[in-house]
Amino acid sequence: MSETNQRLRSLLLTAAIYLIVVASAFGFNVIRSRAARNQPAQPAPPETPAPTVASTKPYFSLTTNRTYSPNESSRVWASYQNIDHLDFRVYRVKDPNKFFKQLDDPHQMGEKEKEEISQGYGVRISLLERTHRLKISLFTAVRDYVRTHLLKQHRETFNQKFRKETEPTRTPLNVADYARVPLLNPDQKVKDWREPLPPLENEYDSRMVTVGKQEPGVYLIEAVNGDLRAYSIAIVSNLTMIEKTTKDGQVLVYVVDRKTGAPHEGVSIEVTKSKQVLASGTTDKSGVFKTEVKQPTAKEGAEENTDEEESNKSAYLIMARERDNFVISDVESFYFGGEGGEDDALTSEDVTGYIYTDRPIYRPAQKVYFKGILRQWGRNGYQLLDSKTVDVTIEDPNNGKIFEKELPLSTRGSFSGDIDLADEVPLGNYNITAAVGDAKSSGYFEVQEYKKPEFKVSVKGPKEFAAVVEKVKFTVTANYFFGAPVTNADVHYYIYKQRYYHWWWGNESNDEFDDAAGPENEGGDEEDSGYYGSDLVTEGDGTLTSRGEMTVDFEVPKPEDKDEWDYSYRLEAQVTDASRREMHGQASFIGTRGKTVADAYPERYLYYQGDTAKIRVKTADYAGHPVSEKVTLKFIEQKYEKVEKDEEYNGYKYKNYDYILHERELASADVNTDSQGNAAYDFTVPSPGSIYVKAILNENGKEIVNRGGSFWAPDKKGEWSDFEYRDYDEKSIKLVPDKKSYKPGETAHVLAMLPADKAHLLVTTELSNVMTVREIDSAGRSVVIDVPIEQRYEPNVYLDVSFVKDSDMYSQSQLIVVPARDKMLKLDIVPNKKEFKPLTRKLVSALSTKRSTASRRKLPVISSASSMASATTKCRRVSRFITSSRALPATSRSISRRTNLLINSLISRTKVLTLNPPFVASSKTQPFGSRMR
């Protein structure tokens, strides 16, 4: 929680800074424009030489922000002041690679070049230029955000309506114009004209100047007015590329056609930095080029440059060229681990850690014992950090540091320490942060002051299960701790309902290592709701009797006709006595629609049309005891229809889209479960689509419908896709694995539903680097990708799918879970007695068995009742860390799922812990980004 709060505070601070900058810039513009309008006309001053003011000097600049295809009209944006026209000359660059390598900054002509070619233009960047750059960056950020969230057809409609290109009134340049301002190179000039510039509404605005359609190539655009010159670059190309880079220097380039996305073989690739060529080669038949680069050696005595503008000059350049088609991308040194070469500082993405305390909550004046384990993630998995110390700080809820010390890091990568809390420390969450360089790992504990309550509130509910429409009673009781009842106290109560999940749900697989990595996440970020989320049913007030009691009558609501779930109901009571002291209590029960529940789920989540789907059926009573029942299975096809609607807001007409669900019954069948409540059914998939199963029980003539599992059924031609239901932004790929988890040697079958047909997919498996890469052609809107599972994928790996179509890039990642079964330990904790009294000494033996061997090892003995409780709490917290094999992809929608805890009890139970020696943890990594240029 504390880490979330810290991250939230950081995000809020960043947002506040951006808002202040935006408000300042726009406020300055508004104030200045108002001042200009309200300023009264002044008499003409005497003709005396006035000093030159920077704001009245003629000024202009040129910018471009994208690459154009040959069938598009290239554009350049001109910002100007006190300029009524510009003379444009367009030159073709013969050798783009050489041209860009000679520039200090690929985004500018460079200070040196500007000084050589400019006359009457200062070398230092003026305040006006800096303001304009800020405005351009803000505009670009807003534009990219809108493009990401706005449908493509909406953008095209808006551009056609409001951005129709008007033919400018231009005049050709003559020889006299050339004489005044000589051409850079007459042989390479392809176009020139004079562009009239009407006054702008605001001096910081810009005007779009159309260059026109050009053949593939790199063009230098020169604008001249008197002695002033400005330059920009326009790149026209049929190619684009997707790049993937890692912090240790791995580079993957995928070069494709900008319109069709087809890969190009034999494209020349160069990777440069600081005018040095670090790697070069050509793409293979899949359009892929892979290499590894090293940081160029820095000159001796050279100081580290922290200037942001200067750092742009040392960016990595990735250039691709095929005859006249040229593509360039600059990669900041951050993507290659910084500027330090072998001495690069670690970052939080490199380090995984776990920090814990001997108990979760403390009182003031108590001693806190803490310990942490740190590992660095590399290509070969977890590694020990190359550091002998770690900086540990502890902050209170007010962000005040109460502990700051450098602690030794053991040979096993662990550290430990303790701190004595003061008598008057603030109450709340405390953060423990361990830092090695820039890498940080956090843990937390709580400090709370215990105040003995004056009275206790208890709520007694009805029996554990109650049928719908049955009338039940809750009894609220309040008693002082000295025994007397709390009389005539005010009571306010709430009754909530939430969906009830039966005991077997979440553990349908026979594989004990499955942990919610199946189709229910589907590359999304929705968390499994579990027992969370409540709806208020009713609330009320009352008063305790002279015996300190109050009853609440409640009738279990009848579910709707199409309701497929049972619900639990919870009453929360707030009792306030005469001294205005308030205490709480609660109780709950489960409202049942019948006596038996049924579930039906497929063995896999992916079957082709015509395949036989294996359906498992279970029946049990609400207490979890298996029963034999007749179950009717119904197979329902789901389809979503995209409906277009015309809407209007503030006079602006636009189109909106709704998605209407249509369901169709494909088949039904009756099965009878055995005495263990199990049955199986083979279902032949008749048609492609999204299919789910209903399990229906009949009790005394009443049908009880239970929602079962679902699966996807693509056709083998790849023509079917669930795209219209899934994709609201038209840039989404949907990935569905056929199982929750896999073993090395198996093959994962992953359904990819695409927003476009005839796509050329770049398919990679990734962790901290690209492990495998291949190109797959998809004729239709869906394709099944086979992923051979390798040992090195344990305990999880990311499957990334990307492609380009019509100058748009589509990308999605999916987590593939491969539990490290050969690194699991079975842990038995056995007490010498079943029950203990307070302060009684006891003996507890802990035995561990590695699943791959029969050896048993006796773990340290725990004694005393208090230490046993502490160990139980700590082990539960460790289990949450151990069993969470989730990571957040960097370039796709986050995948965040709630996992099932493998340890439910530490006493007289046998469960499984995940060990990745020498670190008690499962591997968690982040795939790196894909970028398109």
Side-chain angles (χ1 to χ4, degrees):
M1 181 66 69
S2 60
E3 184 177 357
T4 303
N5 293 337
Q6 186 176 4
R7 186 177 301 172
L8 180 60
R9 287 196 298 268
S10 177
L11 291 175
L12 290 175
L13 179 60
T14 303
I17 293 174
Y18 273 104
L19 287 175
I20 291 172
V21 173
V22 172
S24 301
F26 283 99
F28 175 76
N29 292 341
V30 171
I31 293 173
R32 184 158 189 165
S33 61
R34 289 181 178 177
R37 290 196 303 266
N38 298 332
Q39 185 175 2
Q42 299 292 334
E47 296 185 1
T48 57
T52 302
V53 182
S55 61
T56 61
K57 282 184 178 181
Y59 159 82
F60 68 91
S61 65
L62 301 180
T63 57
T64 53
N65 55 16
R66 52 166 295 197
T67 299
Y68 297 91
S69 63
N71 59 350
E72 291 181 296
S73 181
S74 305
R75 301 182 182 94
V76 64
W77 295 87
S79 299
Y80 54 90
Q81 176 182 324
N82 296 330
I83 297 290
D84 60 358
H85 73 275
L86 286 176
D87 293 341
F88 282 89
R89 292 91 172 270
V90 181
Y91 305 90
R92 187 187 186 94
V93 178
K94 290 184 177 179
D95 190 344
N97 293 61
K98 180 179 179 182
F99 175 81
F100 280 103
K101 282 189 291 186
Q102 289 177 345
L103 297 180
D104 288 335
D105 185 348
H107 297 282
Q108 298 181 5
M109 288 295 295
E111 296 296 331
K112 184 183 299 183
E113 293 83 351
K114 182 183 293 185
E115 183 178 7
E116 292 176 355
I117 62 178
S118 299
Q119 299 181 21
Y121 189 82
V123 174
R124 292 184 60 83
I125 300 178
S126 66
L127 177 61
L128 185 64
E129 287 182 281
R130 293 180 184 272
T131 306
H132 177 66
R133 287 186 181 183
L134 173 62
K135 180 183 174 184
I136 289 297
S137 65
L138 294 174
F139 166 78
T140 303
V142 173
R143 182 205 63 200
D144 292 343
Y145 177 84
V146 173
R147 284 184 174 178
T148 303
H149 293 80
L150 195 63
L151 293 176
K152 183 177 178 181
Q153 57 261 40
H154 289 172
R155 301 201 311 265
E156 292 176 347
T157 303
F158 178 84
N159 290 334
Q160 292 173 2
K161 184 175 181 180
F162 298 103
R163 288 187 171 178
K164 291 183 179 179
E165 296 182 8
T166 57
E167 192 65 28
T169 305
R170 296 174 174 175
T171 57
L173 298 180
N174 53 39
V175 179
D177 297 317
Y178 295 152
R180 287 195 299 270
V181 183
L183 293 171
L184 294 178
N185 191 328
D187 296 335
Q188 295 176 233
K189 182 178 70 68
V190 296
K191 192 173 186 179
D192 58 25
W193 73 92
R194 172 164 293 180
E195 182 84 17
L197 301 177
L200 298 174
E201 294 182 2
N202 190 295
E203 60 186 285
Y204 301 109
D205 283 345
S206 58
R207 176 181 174 82
M208 183 184 70
V209 178
T210 303
V211 180
K213 296 181 180 181
Q214 303 294 332
E215 294 296 321
V218 177
Y219 296 90
L220 174 65
I221 302 173
E222 178 186 32
V224 179
N225 182 286
D227 293 335
L228 300 179
R229 297 187 187 185
Y231 299 88
S232 188
I233 299 294
I235 299 178
V236 181
S237 177
N238 286 309
L239 299 182
T240 188
M241 63 181 174
I242 297 175
E243 67 194 39
K244 293 176 180 284
T245 58
T246 66
K247 302 195 65 163
D248 57 357
Q250 188 181 35
V251 180
L252 185 147
V253 181
Y254 180 54
V255 182
V256 298
D257 185 275
R258 180 176 292 274
K259 182 173 180 59
T260 65
H264 278 237
E265 181 181 3
V267 179
S268 299
I269 307 293
E270 271 192 357
V271 182
T272 68
K273 185 179 188 295
S274 302
K275 304 180 181 180
Q276 299 182 36
V277 178
L278 305 182
S280 62
T282 58
T283 57
D284 58 19
K285 62 181 181 180
S286 299
V288 174
F289 170 75
K290 289 180 64 176
T291 188
E292 294 191 12
V293 300
K294 294 184 179 180
Q295 173 78 19
T297 56
K299 298 180 180 179
E300 294 186 3
E303 297 182 358
E304 183 180 358
N305 189 7
T306 58
D307 188 350
E308 181 179 355
E309 293 181 3
E310 293 296 325
S311 66
N312 290 334
K313 300 179 181 180
S314 59
Y316 291 81
L317 296 182
I318 302 177
M319 295 177 285
R321 186 179 184 185
E322 182 186 51
R323 295 184 294 276
D324 292 333
N325 289 294
F326 178 81
V327 188
I328 184 172
S329 174
D330 62 319
V331 183
E332 295 180 5
S333 297
F334 166 79
Y335 293 99
F336 287 116
E339 294 288 344
E342 295 180 355
D343 298 327
D344 283 340
L346 293 173
T347 66
S348 297
E349 292 183 359
D350 302 317
V351 172
T352 297
Y354 179 63
I355 300 175
Y356 57 96
T357 54
D358 62 324
R359 66 182 75 170
I361 189 169
Y362 300 85
R363 295 182 187 178
Q366 289 187 334
K367 183 184 283 284
V368 178
Y369 295 93
F370 61 86
K371 186 172 183 178
I373 308 170
L374 299 177
R375 287 294 183 273
Q376 178 181 358
W377 178 256
R379 290 195 180 186
N380 298 321
Y382 281 121
Q383 303 169 357
L384 293 170
L385 274 68
D386 187 16
S387 176
K388 297 187 180 298
T389 60
V390 57
D391 296 321
V392 179
T393 59
I394 300 179
E395 294 182 348
D396 62 23
N398 302 323
N399 296 326
K401 292 183 179 180
I402 64 171
F403 182 92
E404 188 172 15
K405 191 174 181 181
E406 185 179 67
L407 298 178
L409 202 60
S410 72
T411 56
R412 305 293 288 176
S414 65
F415 64 91
S416 61
D418 59 77
I419 178 176
D420 292 311
L421 298 176
D423 295 337
E424 301 295 333
V425 292
L427 305 180
N429 288 329
Y430 283 68
N431 288 313
I432 306 175
T433 303
V436 178
D438 293 333
K440 295 181 180 180
S441 181
S442 298
Y444 73 94
F445 61 90
E446 287 187 71
V447 176
Q448 298 293 345
E449 186 67 79
Y450 176 75
K451 183 178 181 181
K452 185 177 179 179
E454 296 291 334
F455 63 93
K456 180 182 179 181
V457 175
S458 60
V459 180
K460 182 180 179 181
K463 53 189 177 181
E464 183 180 3
F465 302 100
V468 296
V469 306
E470 180 181 348
K471 294 182 179 180
V472 299
K473 287 186 178 182
F474 288 97
T475 302
V476 181
T477 306
N479 291 283
Y480 291 105
F481 279 94
F482 56 80
V486 181
T487 61
N488 300 319
D490 295 331
V491 180
H492 187 79
Y493 64 88
Y494 304 89
I495 298 181
Y496 299 94
K497 80 169 184 178
Q498 60 188 15
R499 185 178 295 176
Y500 173 66
Y501 291 81
H502 297 283
W503 62 274
W504 60 61
W505 292 357
N507 191 28
E508 296 172 347
S509 173
N510 294 326
D511 191 343
E512 60 183 328
F513 302 106
D514 281 353
D515 55 357
E520 60 268 20
N521 76 16
E522 294 173 355
D525 56 3
E526 305 84 11
E527 290 193 358
D528 188 0
S529 57
Y531 288 93
Y532 300 97
S534 301
D535 296 325
L536 179 64
V537 178
T538 186
E539 62 179 304
D541 296 287
T543 305
L544 295 180
T545 66
S546 59
R547 294 186 300 175
E549 295 181 352
M550 187 190 82
T551 59
V552 178
D553 295 325
F554 179 70
E555 181 177 327
V556 183
K558 182 179 180 180
E560 297 180 2
D561 294 337
K562 294 185 178 180
D563 210 335
E564 301 169 343
W565 308 95
D566 293 316
Y567 292 91
S568 65
Y569 296 88
R570 181 180 75 256
L571 182 142
E572 296 182 359
Q574 302 173 354
V575 179
T576 306
D577 68 358
S579 301
R580 310 311 300 168
R581 289 168 296 192
E582 184 179 284
M583 296 300 295
H584 302 259
Q586 67 177 29
S588 63
F589 71 94
I590 299 166
T592 65
R593 295 172 296 156
K595 297 180 180 179
T596 308
V597 291
D599 189 24
Y601 58 92
E603 285 188 346
R604 302 202 323 262
Y605 305 107
L606 183 62
Y607 294 94
Y608 280 114
Q609 177 185 3
D611 286 352
T612 299
K614 301 288 185 179
I615 308 298
R616 300 292 183 185
V617 183
K618 288 184 177 181
T619 53
D621 61 19
Y622 281 89
H625 305 121
V627 295
S628 177
E629 288 284 353
K630 178 181 177 181
V631 182
T632 300
L633 303 179
K634 290 188 176 182
F635 297 86
I636 310 299
E637 177 192 59
Q638 289 182 310
K639 286 187 177 180
Y640 285 83
E641 178 187 3
K642 184 177 180 181
V643 179
E644 182 180 290
K645 298 191 304 181
D646 293 326
E647 296 189 5
E648 183 175 349
Y649 179 76
N650 288 339
Y652 174 69
K653 295 182 179 180
Y654 63 96
K655 295 184 182 297
N656 198 5
Y657 299 93
D658 283 341
Y659 294 82
I660 301 176
L661 173 63
H662 299 282
E663 293 189 344
R664 178 171 67 99
E665 182 177 327
L666 299 177
S668 64
D670 293 333
V671 296
N672 293 293
T673 58
D674 58 21
S675 59
Q676 297 301 313
N678 296 319
Y681 179 75
D682 292 341
F683 171 68
T684 302
V685 181
S687 59
S690 172
I691 301 172
Y692 76 93
V693 188
K694 288 182 179 180
I696 303 174
L697 295 170
N698 193 303
E699 293 187 4
N700 300 323
K702 181 179 69 172
E703 284 192 347
I704 301 175
V705 180
N706 297 274
R707 181 71 171 253
S710 61
F711 60 91
W712 302 91
D715 64 321
K716 294 184 178 180
K717 295 181 180 179
E719 296 176 353
W720 173 83
S721 177
D722 182 53
F723 175 70
E724 286 191 348
Y725 156 63
R726 168 70 178 187
D727 187 65
Y728 287 89
D729 60 4
E730 294 200 358
K731 285 196 174 183
S732 177
I733 301 171
K734 189 173 185 178
L735 301 177
V736 182
D738 66 330
K739 291 173 58 179
K740 287 185 176 181
S741 65
Y742 301 88
K743 299 178 182 178
E746 294 182 339
T747 298
H749 306 287
V750 181
L751 172 64
M753 287 175 279
L754 311 173
D757 57 2
K758 299 180 180 179
H760 304 271
L761 308 178
L762 175 66
V763 180
T764 58
T765 53
E766 306 173 2
L767 281 175
S768 61
N769 64 314
V770 177
M771 307 177 79
T772 62
V773 56
R774 53 185 163 145
E775 188 264 338
I776 297 178
D777 295 333
S778 173
R781 295 280 293 275
S782 65
V783 62
V784 175
I785 302 173
D786 295 334
V787 183
I789 303 301
E790 303 178 24
Q791 188 82 33
R792 56 178 177 161
Y793 291 170
E794 295 178 343
N796 47 248
V797 69
Y798 281 95
L799 175 71
D800 187 89
V801 179
S802 305
F803 73 94
V804 175
K805 192 77 169 181
D806 294 327
S807 297
D808 282 334
M809 175 184 171
Y810 304 82
S811 184
Q812 184 63 274
S813 293
Q814 172 64 46
L815 184 70
I816 305 295
V817 176
V818 188
R821 292 170 171 82
D822 60 338
K823 296 180 181 179
M824 302 293 179
L825 290 183
K826 295 178 65 176
L827 180 64
D828 299 335
I829 299 180
V830 184
N832 61 336
K833 292 192 299 183
K834 291 184 177 181
E835 296 183 0
F836 298 89
K837 295 182 179 180
L839 303 179
T840 302
R841 303 289 294 182
K842 68 180 183 306
L843 181 66
V844 178
S845 299
L847 300 176
S848 67
T849 304
K850 192 170 182 179
R851 297 185 60 85
S852 59
T853 64
S855 62
R856 297 176 66 86
R857 185 166 69 94
K858 196 168 185 178
L859 299 180
V861 172
I862 305 172
S863 62
S864 83
S866 61
S867 62
M868 182 62 192
S870 175
T872 302
T873 302
K874 182 166 61 178
C875 288
R876 287 184 182 275
R877 295 175 63 196
V878 172
S879 72
R880 287 177 173 84
F881 171 76
I882 290 170
T883 60
S884 176
S885 59
R886 286 294 173 270
L888 298 180
T891 59
S892 63
R893 297 176 57 178
S894 61
I895 304 175
S896 179
R897 310 296 301 168
R898 181 175 61 86
T899 59
N900 297 322
L901 295 182
L902 297 181
I903 298 181
N904 293 320
S905 175
L906 295 176
I907 302 177
S908 302
R909 288 285 186 94
T910 300
K911 286 293 180 181
V912 180
L913 291 177
T914 307
L915 290 184
N916 195 354
F919 182 38
V920 186
S922 61
S923 173
K924 296 187 286 295
T925 63
Q926 291 186 351
F928 43 85
S930 303
R931 306 199 307 169
M932 187 187 81
R933 295 292 180 186

